[in-house]
Coordinates of all heavy atoms in Angstrom, one line a residue:
M1 N 0.9 -1.2 0.1 CA 0.0 0.0 0.0 C 0.9 1.2 0.0 O 1.9 1.3 0.8 CB -0.9 -0.1 1.3 CG -1.9 1.0 1.2 SD -3.2 0.7 0.1 CE -4.7 0.6 1.2
R2 N 0.5 2.2 -0.8 CA 1.3 3.5 -0.9 C 0.7 4.4 0.0 O -0.4 4.7 0.0 CB 1.4 3.9 -2.3 CG 2.1 5.2 -2.6 CD 2.0 5.7 -3.9 NE 2.5 4.8 -4.9 CZ 2.1 5.0 -6.2 NH1 1.3 5.9 -6.6 NH2 2.5 4.0 -7.0
I3 N 1.5 5.1 0.9 CA 1.1 6.2 1.8 C 1.0 7.4 0.9 O 2.0 7.8 0.3 CB 2.0 6.4 2.9 CG1 2.2 5.1 3.8 CG2 1.7 7.6 3.7 CD1 3.1 5.1 4.8
K4 N -0.3 8.0 0.9 CA -0.4 9.2 0.1 C -0.5 10.5 0.9 O -0.1 11.6 0.5 CB -1.7 9.2 -0.7 CG -1.7 8.1 -1.8 CD -3.0 8.1 -2.6 CE -2.8 7.1 -3.8 NZ -4.1 7.1 -4.6
V5 N -1.0 10.4 2.2 CA -1.1 11.6 3.1 C -0.1 11.5 4.1 O 0.0 10.4 4.8 CB -2.5 11.6 3.6 CG1 -2.7 12.8 4.5 CG2 -3.6 11.6 2.5
T6 N 0.6 12.5 4.4 CA 1.6 12.6 5.5 C 1.2 13.6 6.5 O 0.3 14.5 6.2 CB 3.1 12.8 4.9 OG1 3.0 14.0 4.3 CG2 3.5 11.7 3.8
S7 N 1.9 13.5 7.6 CA 1.8 14.4 8.7 C 3.0 14.9 9.2 O 4.0 14.1 9.1 CB 0.9 13.8 9.7 OG 0.9 14.5 10.9
K8 N 3.1 16.1 9.8 CA 4.4 16.5 10.4 C 4.6 15.7 11.5 O 5.8 15.6 12.1 CB 4.2 18.0 10.9 CG 4.2 18.9 9.8 CD 4.0 20.4 10.1 CE 3.9 21.3 8.9 NZ 3.7 22.6 9.3
L9 N 3.7 15.0 12.1 CA 3.9 14.1 13.3 C 4.5 12.8 12.9 O 5.0 12.1 13.8 CB 2.5 13.8 14.0 CG 1.8 15.2 14.4 CD1 0.5 14.7 15.0 CD2 2.6 15.8 15.5
L10 N 4.5 12.4 11.7 CA 5.0 11.2 11.2 C 6.4 11.4 10.5 O 6.6 12.4 10.0 CB 4.1 10.5 10.3 CG 2.7 10.1 10.8 CD1 1.8 9.6 9.8 CD2 2.9 9.1 12.0
P11 N 7.2 10.3 10.4 CA 8.5 10.5 9.7 C 8.2 10.6 8.2 O 7.2 10.3 7.7 CB 9.2 9.1 9.9 CG 8.4 8.4 11.0 CD 7.2 9.1 11.1
E12 N 9.2 11.3 7.5 CA 9.0 11.6 6.2 C 9.0 10.3 5.3 O 9.7 9.3 5.6 CB 10.3 12.5 5.6 CG 10.2 12.7 4.1 CD 11.5 13.4 3.7 OE1 12.4 13.8 4.6 OE2 11.7 13.5 2.5
V13 N 8.1 10.2 4.3 CA 7.9 9.0 3.4 C 9.0 9.1 2.4 O 9.2 10.1 1.7 CB 6.6 9.0 2.8 CG1 6.5 7.8 1.8 CG2 5.5 9.0 3.8
R14 N 9.9 8.1 2.4 CA 11.0 8.0 1.4 C 10.5 7.0 0.4 O 10.3 5.8 0.8 CB 12.3 7.7 2.1 CG 12.9 8.8 2.8 CD 14.3 8.5 3.3 NE 14.2 8.0 4.6 CZ 15.1 7.3 5.3 NH1 16.3 7.1 4.6 NH2 15.0 6.9 6.5
R15 N 10.5 7.5 -0.9 CA 10.2 6.5 -1.9 C 11.4 6.2 -2.8 O 12.3 6.9 -2.8 CB 9.1 7.2 -2.8 CG 7.9 7.5 -2.1 CD 6.8 8.0 -3.0 NE 5.7 8.7 -2.5 CZ 4.7 8.1 -1.7 NH1 4.7 6.9 -1.5 NH2 3.8 8.9 -1.2
G16 N 11.2 5.0 -3.6 CA 12.2 4.7 -4.5 C 12.2 5.5 -5.6 O 11.4 6.5 -5.9
K17 N 13.0 5.2 -6.7 CA 13.1 6.0 -7.9 C 11.7 5.9 -8.7 O 11.1 4.9 -8.7 CB 14.2 5.3 -8.8 CG 14.3 5.8 -10.2 CD 15.3 5.0 -11.0 CE 15.1 5.1 -12.4 NZ 15.8 4.1 -13.1
P18 N 11.2 7.2 -9.2 CA 10.0 7.1 -9.9 C 10.0 6.3 -11.2 O 11.1 6.3 -11.9 CB 9.8 8.6 -10.2 CG 10.7 9.3 -9.4 CD 11.8 8.5 -9.0
L19 N 9.0 5.5 -11.4 CA 8.9 4.7 -12.6 C 7.5 4.9 -13.2 O 6.7 5.6 -12.7 CB 8.9 3.2 -12.1 CG 10.1 2.8 -11.2 CD1 9.8 1.3 -10.8 CD2 11.4 2.8 -12.0
R20 N 7.4 4.4 -14.5 CA 6.1 4.4 -15.1 C 5.8 3.0 -15.6 O 6.6 2.2 -16.0 CB 6.2 5.3 -16.4 CG 6.4 6.6 -16.1 CD 5.2 7.5 -15.6 NE 4.3 7.8 -16.7 CZ 3.1 8.3 -16.5 NH1 2.6 8.4 -15.4 NH2 2.4 8.5 -17.7
V21 N 4.7 2.6 -15.3 CA 4.1 1.2 -15.7 C 2.8 1.4 -16.4 O 2.1 2.4 -16.2 CB 4.0 0.3 -14.5 CG1 5.3 0.0 -13.8 CG2 3.0 0.7 -13.5
A22 N 2.4 0.4 -17.2 CA 1.1 0.5 -17.9 C 0.1 -0.4 -17.4 O 0.5 -1.6 -17.1 CB 1.3 0.3 -19.4
V23 N -1.0 0.0 -17.0 CA -2.1 -0.8 -16.5 C -3.2 -0.8 -17.5 O -3.9 0.2 -17.7 CB -2.6 -0.4 -15.2 CG1 -3.7 -1.2 -14.6 CG2 -1.4 -0.3 -14.1
N24 N -3.3 -1.9 -18.2 CA -4.3 -2.1 -19.2 C -4.1 -1.1 -20.3 O -5.1 -0.4 -20.7 CB -5.7 -2.1 -18.7 CG -6.1 -3.4 -18.1 OD1 -5.4 -4.4 -17.9 ND2 -7.3 -3.6 -17.6
G25 N -2.9 -0.8 -20.6 CA -2.5 0.2 -21.6 C -2.4 1.7 -21.1 O -2.0 2.6 -21.8
K26 N -2.9 2.0 -19.8 CA -2.8 3.3 -19.3 C -1.5 3.5 -18.5 O -1.4 2.8 -17.5 CB -4.0 3.6 -18.5 CG -4.1 4.9 -17.8 CD -5.2 5.1 -16.9 CE -5.0 6.4 -16.0 NZ -5.8 6.3 -14.8
W27 N -0.8 4.5 -18.8 CA 0.5 4.6 -18.0 C 0.3 5.3 -16.7 O -0.4 6.4 -16.7 CB 1.6 5.4 -18.9 CG 2.0 4.7 -20.0 CD1 1.6 4.7 -21.3 CD2 3.0 3.7 -20.0 NE1 2.2 3.8 -22.0 CE2 3.2 3.2 -21.3 CE3 3.9 3.1 -19.0 CZ2 4.1 2.1 -21.7 CZ3 4.8 2.3 -19.4 CH2 4.9 1.7 -20.7
V28 N 0.8 4.8 -15.7 CA 0.6 5.4 -14.3 C 2.0 5.4 -13.6 O 3.0 4.8 -14.0 CB -0.4 4.5 -13.5 CG1 -1.7 4.4 -14.2 CG2 0.2 3.1 -13.2
D29 N 2.0 6.2 -12.5 CA 3.3 6.4 -11.7 C 3.4 5.2 -10.8 O 2.5 4.7 -10.3 CB 3.2 7.7 -11.0 CG 3.2 8.9 -11.9 OD1 3.8 8.9 -13.0 OD2 2.5 10.0 -11.5
A30 N 4.7 4.9 -10.6 CA 5.0 3.9 -9.6 C 6.3 4.3 -9.0 O 7.0 5.2 -9.5 CB 5.0 2.5 -10.2
Y31 N 6.8 3.5 -8.0 CA 8.1 3.8 -7.4 C 8.9 2.5 -7.1 O 8.3 1.5 -6.8 CB 7.9 4.5 -6.0 CG 7.3 5.8 -6.2 CD1 5.9 6.0 -5.9 CD2 8.0 7.0 -6.5 CE1 5.3 7.2 -6.2 CE2 7.4 8.2 -6.6 CZ 6.0 8.3 -6.4 OH 5.5 9.6 -6.6
A32 N 10.1 2.5 -7.5 CA 10.9 1.3 -7.1 C 10.8 0.8 -5.8 O 10.7 1.6 -4.9 CB 12.4 1.7 -7.5
G33 N 10.7 -0.5 -5.7 CA 10.4 -1.1 -4.4 C 9.0 -1.4 -4.1 O 8.7 -2.2 -3.2
E34 N 8.1 -0.8 -4.9 CA 6.7 -1.1 -4.7 C 6.3 -2.5 -5.5 O 7.0 -2.8 -6.4 CB 5.7 0.0 -5.4 CG 5.7 1.2 -4.5 CD 4.8 2.3 -5.1 OE1 4.7 2.3 -6.3 OE2 4.3 3.0 -4.3
T35 N 5.2 -3.1 -5.0 CA 4.8 -4.3 -5.7 C 3.7 -3.8 -6.7 O 3.2 -2.7 -6.7 CB 4.1 -5.3 -4.6 OG1 3.0 -4.7 -4.1 CG2 5.1 -5.7 -3.7
V36 N 3.5 -4.8 -7.6 CA 2.4 -4.6 -8.6 C 1.1 -4.3 -7.8 O 0.3 -3.3 -8.3 CB 2.2 -5.8 -9.6 CG1 1.0 -5.6 -10.4 CG2 3.5 -5.9 -10.4
A37 N 0.7 -5.0 -6.8 CA -0.4 -4.8 -6.0 C -0.5 -3.4 -5.5 O -1.5 -2.7 -5.4 CB -0.6 -5.8 -5.0
A38 N 0.6 -3.0 -5.0 CA 0.6 -1.6 -4.3 C 0.3 -0.5 -5.3 O -0.4 0.4 -5.1 CB 2.0 -1.3 -3.6
V39 N 0.8 -0.7 -6.6 CA 0.6 0.3 -7.7 C -0.9 0.3 -8.0 O -1.5 1.3 -8.2 CB 1.4 0.0 -8.8 CG1 1.0 0.9 -10.0 CG2 2.9 0.2 -8.5
L40 N -1.5 -1.0 -8.2 CA -2.9 -1.1 -8.6 C -3.8 -0.5 -7.4 O -4.7 0.2 -7.7 CB -3.3 -2.6 -8.8 CG -2.5 -3.3 -10.0 CD1 -2.9 -4.7 -10.1 CD2 -2.9 -2.5 -11.2
L41 N -3.5 -0.8 -6.2 CA -4.3 -0.2 -5.0 C -4.2 1.3 -5.1 O -5.2 1.9 -4.8 CB -3.9 -0.9 -3.7 CG -4.3 -2.3 -3.6 CD1 -3.6 -2.9 -2.3 CD2 -5.8 -2.5 -3.7
A42 N -2.9 1.8 -5.3 CA -2.8 3.3 -5.3 C -3.6 3.9 -6.3 O -3.9 5.1 -6.3 CB -1.3 3.6 -5.4
E43 N -3.9 3.2 -7.4 CA -4.7 3.7 -8.6 C -6.1 3.5 -8.3 O -7.0 3.7 -9.2 CB -4.3 3.0 -9.9 CG -2.9 3.4 -10.4 CD -2.9 4.9 -10.7 OE1 -3.8 5.5 -11.3 OE2 -1.8 5.6 -10.2
G44 N -6.5 2.9 -7.1 CA -7.9 2.7 -6.8 C -8.4 1.5 -7.4 O -9.7 1.3 -7.4
I45 N -7.6 0.6 -7.8 CA -8.0 -0.7 -8.5 C -8.0 -1.8 -7.3 O -7.0 -2.1 -6.9 CB -7.2 -1.1 -9.6 CG1 -7.3 0.0 -10.7 CG2 -7.5 -2.5 -10.2 CD1 -6.2 -0.2 -11.7
Q46 N -9.2 -2.3 -7.0 CA -9.2 -3.4 -6.0 C -9.6 -4.7 -6.6 O -9.2 -5.8 -5.9 CB -10.2 -3.0 -5.0 CG -9.9 -1.8 -4.2 CD -10.8 -1.5 -3.0 OE1 -12.0 -1.7 -3.3 NE2 -10.3 -0.9 -2.0
V47 N -10.2 -4.7 -7.8 CA -10.4 -6.0 -8.3 C -9.5 -6.3 -9.5 O -9.4 -5.5 -10.4 CB -12.0 -6.0 -9.0 CG1 -12.2 -7.2 -9.8 CG2 -12.9 -5.8 -7.9
F48 N -8.7 -7.3 -9.3 CA -7.6 -7.6 -10.3 C -8.0 -8.7 -11.3 O -7.4 -8.6 -12.5 CB -6.3 -8.2 -9.6 CG -5.7 -7.2 -8.6 CD1 -6.2 -6.0 -8.3 CD2 -4.6 -7.6 -7.9 CE1 -5.7 -5.1 -7.4 CE2 -4.0 -6.8 -7.0 CZ -4.5 -5.6 -6.7
R49 N -9.0 -9.4 -11.0 CA -9.5 -10.4 -12.0 C -10.8 -11.0 -11.5 O -11.3 -10.6 -10.4 CB -8.5 -11.6 -12.0 CG -8.4 -12.4 -10.7 CD -7.4 -13.6 -10.8 NE -7.3 -14.4 -9.6 CZ -8.1 -15.4 -9.3 NH1 -8.9 -16.0 -10.3 NH2 -8.0 -16.1 -8.2
H50 N -11.3 -11.8 -12.3 CA -12.6 -12.5 -12.0 C -12.4 -14.1 -12.1 O -11.6 -14.5 -13.0 CB -13.7 -12.0 -12.8 CG -14.2 -10.6 -12.5 ND1 -13.5 -9.6 -13.0 CD2 -15.2 -10.1 -11.7 CE1 -14.0 -8.5 -12.6 NE2 -15.0 -8.7 -11.8
T51 N -13.1 -14.8 -11.3 CA -13.0 -16.3 -11.4 C -13.6 -16.8 -12.6 O -14.5 -16.2 -13.2 CB -13.6 -17.0 -10.2 OG1 -14.9 -16.6 -10.2 CG2 -13.0 -16.5 -8.9
A52 N -13.0 -17.9 -13.2 CA -13.5 -18.4 -14.5 C -15.0 -18.8 -14.5 O -15.7 -18.4 -15.4 CB -12.6 -19.5 -14.9
R53 N -15.4 -19.4 -13.6 CA -16.7 -20.0 -13.7 C -17.8 -19.0 -13.1 O -18.7 -18.6 -13.8 CB -16.9 -21.3 -12.8 CG -18.0 -22.2 -13.1 CD -18.1 -23.4 -12.5 NE -16.9 -24.2 -12.8 CZ -16.6 -25.4 -12.2 NH1 -17.3 -25.8 -11.2 NH2 -15.5 -26.0 -12.5
A54 N -17.6 -18.5 -11.9 CA -18.7 -17.7 -11.2 C -18.4 -16.2 -11.6 O -19.3 -15.4 -11.1 CB -18.6 -17.9 -9.7
R55 N -17.3 -15.9 -12.2 CA -17.0 -14.4 -12.4 C -16.9 -13.7 -11.2 O -17.4 -12.5 -11.2 CB -17.9 -13.9 -13.5 CG -18.0 -14.6 -14.8 CD -16.6 -14.8 -15.5 NE -16.0 -13.5 -15.8 CZ -14.8 -13.4 -16.1 NH1 -14.0 -14.5 -16.2 NH2 -14.3 -12.2 -16.5
A56 N -16.6 -14.2 -10.1 CA -16.4 -13.6 -8.7 C -15.2 -12.8 -8.7 O -14.1 -13.1 -9.2 CB -16.4 -14.6 -7.7
P57 N -15.3 -11.5 -8.3 CA -14.1 -10.6 -8.2 C -13.0 -11.1 -7.2 O -13.4 -11.6 -6.2 CB -14.7 -9.3 -7.8 CG -16.0 -9.6 -7.0 CD -16.4 -10.8 -7.7
R58 N -11.8 -10.9 -7.6 CA -10.7 -11.1 -6.8 C -9.7 -10.1 -6.8 O -9.4 -9.5 -7.8 CB -10.0 -12.5 -7.3 CG -10.8 -13.7 -7.2 CD -11.0 -14.1 -5.8 NE -11.7 -15.3 -5.6 CZ -13.1 -15.4 -5.2 NH1 -13.7 -14.2 -5.1 NH2 -13.6 -16.6 -5.0
G59 N -9.0 -9.9 -5.7 CA -7.9 -8.9 -5.5 C -7.0 -9.4 -4.4 O -6.8 -10.6 -4.2
V60 N -6.4 -8.4 -3.7 CA -5.5 -8.8 -2.6 C -6.2 -9.4 -1.4 O -7.2 -8.8 -1.0 CB -4.7 -7.6 -2.2 CG1 -3.9 -7.9 -1.0 CG2 -3.8 -7.0 -3.3
Y61 N -5.7 -10.6 -1.0 CA -6.4 -11.2 0.2 C -5.3 -11.4 1.2 O -5.4 -10.8 2.3 CB -7.0 -12.5 -0.3 CG -7.7 -13.2 0.9 CD1 -8.8 -12.7 1.4 CD2 -7.3 -14.5 1.3 CE1 -9.5 -13.3 2.4 CE2 -7.9 -15.1 2.3 CZ -9.1 -14.5 2.8 OH -9.8 -15.2 3.9
C62 N -4.4 -12.3 0.9 CA -3.4 -12.4 2.0 C -2.2 -11.4 1.9 O -1.6 -11.1 2.9 CB -2.7 -13.9 1.8 SG -1.6 -14.1 0.5
G63 N -1.9 -11.0 0.8 CA -0.8 -9.9 0.7 C 0.5 -10.4 0.8 O 1.5 -9.6 0.9
M64 N 0.7 -11.7 0.8 CA 2.1 -12.2 1.0 C 2.4 -13.5 0.2 O 3.2 -14.4 0.6 CB 2.3 -12.6 2.5 CG 1.4 -13.5 3.1 SD 1.6 -13.5 4.9 CE 0.5 -14.8 5.4
G65 N 1.6 -13.7 -0.9 CA 2.0 -14.7 -1.8 C 1.5 -16.1 -1.5 O 2.0 -17.1 -2.2
L66 N 0.5 -16.3 -0.7 CA 0.0 -17.6 -0.3 C -1.3 -18.0 -0.9 O -1.5 -19.1 -1.4 CB -0.1 -17.7 1.2 CG 1.2 -17.5 2.0 CD1 0.9 -17.6 3.5 CD2 2.2 -18.6 1.6
C67 N -2.2 -17.1 -1.3 CA -3.5 -17.4 -1.7 C -3.9 -17.4 -3.1 O -4.7 -18.0 -3.6 CB -4.6 -16.5 -1.0 SG -4.5 -14.8 -1.5
Y68 N -2.9 -16.8 -3.9 CA -3.1 -16.7 -5.4 C -4.4 -16.0 -5.8 O -5.0 -16.3 -6.9 CB -3.0 -18.1 -6.0 CG -1.7 -18.7 -6.0 CD1 -1.2 -19.1 -4.8 CD2 -0.8 -18.7 -7.1 CE1 0.1 -19.7 -4.8 CE2 0.4 -19.1 -7.1 CZ 1.0 -19.7 -5.9 OH 2.3 -20.1 -5.8
E69 N -5.0 -15.1 -5.0 CA -6.1 -14.4 -5.4 C -5.8 -13.1 -6.2 O -6.7 -12.6 -7.0 CB -6.9 -13.9 -4.1 CG -7.5 -15.1 -3.2 CD -8.6 -15.8 -3.9 OE1 -9.1 -15.3 -5.0 OE2 -9.0 -16.8 -3.5
C70 N -4.5 -12.7 -6.3 CA -4.2 -11.4 -6.8 C -3.5 -11.7 -8.2 O -2.9 -10.8 -8.6 CB -3.3 -10.7 -5.9 SG -1.8 -11.5 -5.6
L71 N -3.9 -12.7 -8.9 CA -3.1 -13.0 -10.2 C -3.4 -11.9 -11.2 O -4.6 -11.6 -11.5 CB -3.6 -14.4 -10.7 CG -3.2 -15.6 -9.7 CD1 -3.7 -16.9 -10.3 CD2 -1.7 -15.6 -9.4
V72 N -2.4 -11.6 -11.9 CA -2.4 -10.6 -13.0 C -1.5 -11.0 -14.1 O -0.8 -12.0 -14.0 CB -2.1 -9.2 -12.6 CG1 -3.0 -8.6 -11.6 CG2 -0.6 -9.1 -12.1
T73 N -1.6 -10.4 -15.3 CA -0.7 -10.7 -16.3 C 0.4 -9.6 -16.4 O 0.0 -8.4 -16.5 CB -1.4 -10.8 -17.7 OG1 -2.4 -11.9 -17.7 CG2 -0.4 -11.1 -18.8
V74 N 1.7 -10.0 -16.3 CA 2.7 -9.0 -16.4 C 3.7 -9.3 -17.5 O 4.2 -10.4 -17.6 CB 3.6 -9.0 -15.1 CG1 4.8 -8.1 -15.1 CG2 2.7 -8.7 -13.9
D75 N 3.8 -8.3 -18.4 CA 4.6 -8.5 -19.6 C 4.3 -9.8 -20.3 O 5.2 -10.5 -20.7 CB 6.1 -8.4 -19.3 CG 6.6 -6.9 -18.7 OD1 5.8 -6.0 -19.2 OD2 7.4 -6.8 -17.9
E76 N 3.0 -10.1 -20.5 CA 2.6 -11.2 -21.3 C 2.7 -12.5 -20.6 O 2.6 -13.5 -21.1 CB 3.1 -11.2 -22.6 CG 2.7 -9.9 -23.4 CD 3.1 -10.0 -24.8 OE1 3.4 -11.1 -25.4 OE2 3.0 -9.0 -25.5
V77 N 3.2 -12.5 -19.2 CA 3.3 -13.7 -18.5 C 2.0 -13.7 -17.6 O 1.8 -12.9 -16.7 CB 4.5 -13.7 -17.6 CG1 4.6 -14.9 -16.7 CG2 5.8 -13.5 -18.4
R78 N 1.2 -14.8 -17.7 CA 0.0 -15.0 -17.0 C 0.2 -15.4 -15.7 O 1.2 -16.2 -15.3 CB -1.0 -15.8 -17.8 CG -1.4 -15.2 -19.2 CD -2.3 -16.3 -19.9 NE -3.6 -16.3 -19.2 CZ -4.5 -17.1 -19.4 NH1 -4.3 -18.0 -20.2 NH2 -5.6 -17.0 -18.7
A79 N -0.9 -15.2 -14.8 CA -0.8 -15.8 -13.5 C 0.3 -15.4 -12.6 O 1.0 -16.2 -11.9 CB -1.0 -17.3 -13.5
V80 N 0.7 -14.1 -12.6 CA 1.7 -13.5 -11.7 C 1.0 -13.0 -10.5 O 0.0 -12.3 -10.6 CB 2.5 -12.4 -12.5 CG1 3.5 -11.8 -11.6 CG2 3.2 -12.9 -13.7
R81 N 1.6 -13.3 -9.4 CA 1.1 -12.8 -8.1 C 1.5 -11.3 -7.9 O 2.7 -11.0 -7.6 CB 1.6 -13.7 -6.9 CG 1.0 -15.1 -6.9 CD 1.6 -15.9 -5.8 NE 3.1 -16.1 -6.2 CZ 3.9 -16.6 -5.4 NH1 3.6 -17.0 -4.2 NH2 5.2 -16.8 -5.9
A82 N 0.4 -10.5 -7.9 CA 0.8 -9.1 -7.8 C 1.3 -8.6 -6.5 O 2.0 -7.6 -6.5 CB -0.6 -8.3 -8.1
C83 N 1.0 -9.3 -5.5 CA 1.4 -8.9 -4.1 C 2.8 -9.1 -3.9 O 3.3 -8.6 -2.8 CB 0.6 -9.5 -3.0 SG 0.8 -11.4 -2.8
V84 N 3.6 -10.0 -4.6 CA 4.9 -10.3 -4.3 C 5.9 -10.0 -5.5 O 7.0 -10.4 -5.6 CB 5.1 -11.8 -3.9 CG1 4.6 -12.0 -2.6 CG2 4.6 -12.7 -4.9
T85 N 5.2 -9.4 -6.6 CA 6.0 -9.0 -7.8 C 6.4 -7.5 -7.7 O 5.5 -6.7 -7.8 CB 5.2 -9.3 -9.0 OG1 4.9 -10.7 -8.9 CG2 6.0 -9.1 -10.3
P86 N 7.7 -7.2 -7.7 CA 8.0 -5.8 -7.7 C 7.9 -5.2 -9.1 O 8.0 -5.9 -10.0 CB 9.6 -5.8 -7.3 CG 10.0 -7.2 -7.4 CD 8.9 -8.1 -7.5
V87 N 7.5 -3.9 -9.1 CA 7.4 -3.2 -10.4 C 8.7 -2.9 -11.0 O 9.7 -2.8 -10.3 CB 6.6 -1.9 -10.2 CG1 5.1 -2.2 -10.0 CG2 7.2 -0.9 -9.3
A88 N 8.7 -2.8 -12.3 CA 9.9 -2.4 -13.1 C 9.5 -1.4 -14.1 O 8.4 -1.3 -14.5 CB 10.6 -3.5 -13.8
D89 N 10.4 -0.4 -14.4 CA 10.1 0.7 -15.4 C 9.7 0.0 -16.7 O 10.3 -0.9 -17.2 CB 11.3 1.6 -15.5 CG 10.9 2.8 -16.2 OD1 9.8 3.4 -15.9 OD2 11.7 3.4 -16.8
G90 N 8.6 0.6 -17.2 CA 8.0 0.0 -18.6 C 7.2 -1.2 -18.5 O 6.8 -1.7 -19.5
M91 N 7.0 -1.7 -17.2 CA 6.2 -3.0 -17.1 C 4.8 -2.9 -17.5 O 4.2 -1.8 -17.4 CB 6.3 -3.4 -15.7 CG 5.5 -4.6 -15.3 SD 5.6 -4.9 -13.4 CE 7.1 -5.9 -13.4
R92 N 4.3 -3.8 -18.2 CA 2.9 -3.8 -18.7 C 2.1 -4.8 -17.9 O 2.3 -6.0 -18.0 CB 2.9 -4.2 -20.2 CG 3.6 -3.1 -21.0 CD 3.6 -3.3 -22.5 NE 4.2 -2.2 -23.2 CZ 3.6 -1.1 -23.6 NH1 2.3 -1.0 -23.3 NH2 4.2 -0.2 -24.3
I93 N 1.1 -4.3 -17.3 CA 0.3 -5.0 -16.3 C -1.2 -5.0 -17.0 O -1.7 -4.1 -17.4 CB 0.2 -4.4 -14.9 CG1 1.6 -4.3 -14.3 CG2 -0.7 -5.1 -14.0 CD1 1.7 -3.2 -13.2
E94 N -1.6 -6.3 -17.0 CA -3.0 -6.5 -17.6 C -3.8 -7.1 -16.4 O -3.4 -8.1 -15.8 CB -3.0 -7.4 -18.7 CG -2.2 -6.9 -19.9 CD -2.8 -5.7 -20.6 OE1 -3.9 -5.6 -20.6 OE2 -2.0 -4.9 -21.1
I95 N -5.0 -6.5 -16.3 CA -5.9 -6.9 -15.1 C -7.3 -7.2 -15.8 O -7.5 -6.6 -16.9 CB -6.1 -6.0 -14.1 CG1 -6.6 -4.6 -14.5 CG2 -4.8 -5.8 -13.3 CD1 -7.1 -3.7 -13.4
D96 N -8.1 -8.1 -15.2 CA -9.4 -8.4 -15.7 C -10.4 -7.7 -14.8 O -10.9 -8.3 -13.9 CB -9.5 -9.9 -15.7 CG -11.0 -10.3 -16.0 OD1 -11.7 -9.5 -16.7 OD2 -11.4 -11.3 -15.5
A97 N -10.4 -6.3 -14.9 CA -11.2 -5.6 -13.9 C -12.7 -5.7 -14.2 O -13.6 -5.4 -13.4 CB -10.7 -4.2 -13.8
E98 N -13.1 -5.7 -15.5 CA -14.4 -5.9 -15.9 C -14.9 -7.2 -16.0 O -14.3 -8.1 -16.7 CB -14.6 -5.1 -17.2 CG -14.2 -3.6 -17.2 CD -15.0 -2.8 -16.2 OE1 -16.2 -3.0 -16.0 OE2 -14.4 -2.0 -15.5
P99 N -16.0 -7.6 -15.4 CA -16.5 -8.9 -15.5 C -17.0 -9.2 -17.0 O -17.6 -8.4 -17.6 CB -17.8 -8.9 -14.5 CG -18.2 -7.6 -14.4 CD -16.9 -6.7 -14.6
A100 N -16.7 -10.4 -17.5 CA -17.1 -10.8 -18.8 C -18.6 -11.1 -18.8 O -19.2 -11.6 -17.9 CB -16.3 -12.1 -19.2
L101 N -19.3 -10.8 -19.8 CA -20.7 -11.0 -19.9 C -21.0 -12.3 -20.6 O -20.2 -12.8 -21.3 CB -21.3 -9.9 -20.6 CG -21.2 -8.6 -19.9 CD1 -21.8 -7.3 -20.7 CD2 -21.9 -8.6 -18.5
Ligands
FES1 S1 -2.9 -11.7 -2.2 FE1 -2.6 -13.7 -1.6 S2 -1.1 -14.4 -3.2 FE2 -1.3 -12.2 -3.6

């Protein structure tokens, strides 16, 4: 999760190098050291995919690589766990945010 609001009462937020990644073709800001899930959540995206049969929405659940609920496609590699995959500059992330009809 990316901290967006800071306070003088809290330590300064130090981010990694600014990067750009594409989410379904739209370029968005990211920072080195963030995971794909952190970038998607920072963009307000909570549904990463839908289940094949019931088309039930799925996103971050465990957040540590155990449940496989957060699968996305990264640089044309399918079924990548977003919560444990660090972003890289120019990365192309594909999510299934809209339920298929
Ligand atoms: S949220 Fe559980 S594997 Fe990513």
Side-chain angles (χ1 to χ4, degrees):
M1 188 72 119
R2 183 186 299 159
I3 297 172
K4 291 184 175 180
V5 179
T6 60
S7 164
K8 292 179 181 176
L9 302 175
L10 299 172
E12 178 185 347
V13 176
R14 285 188 267 163
R15 302 189 193 285
K17 177 182 152 196
L19 308 172
R20 296 283 281 170
V21 299
V23 178
N24 285 2
K26 176 188 168 200
W27 291 95
V28 300
D29 294 325
Y31 298 94
E34 290 184 325
T35 64
V36 170
V39 173
L40 294 175
L41 292 172
E43 290 298 315
I45 300 168
Q46 295 182 328
V47 176
F48 297 1
R49 68 181 181 94
H50 291 81
T51 58
R53 196 175 304 169
R55 304 304 299 164
R58 293 291 184 261
V60 173
Y61 184 66
C62 74
M64 57 186 184
L66 299 176
C67 71
Y68 288 76
E69 296 290 346
C70 63
L71 299 180
V72 297
T73 300
V74 174
D75 292 334
E76 300 185 15
V77 178
R78 297 182 67 196
V80 173
R81 290 172 294 170
C83 69
V84 293
T85 304
V87 290
D89 198 29
M91 179 181 271
R92 294 182 179 273
I93 303 161
E94 299 293 328
I95 59 170
D96 170 28
E98 299 298 324
L101 299 176

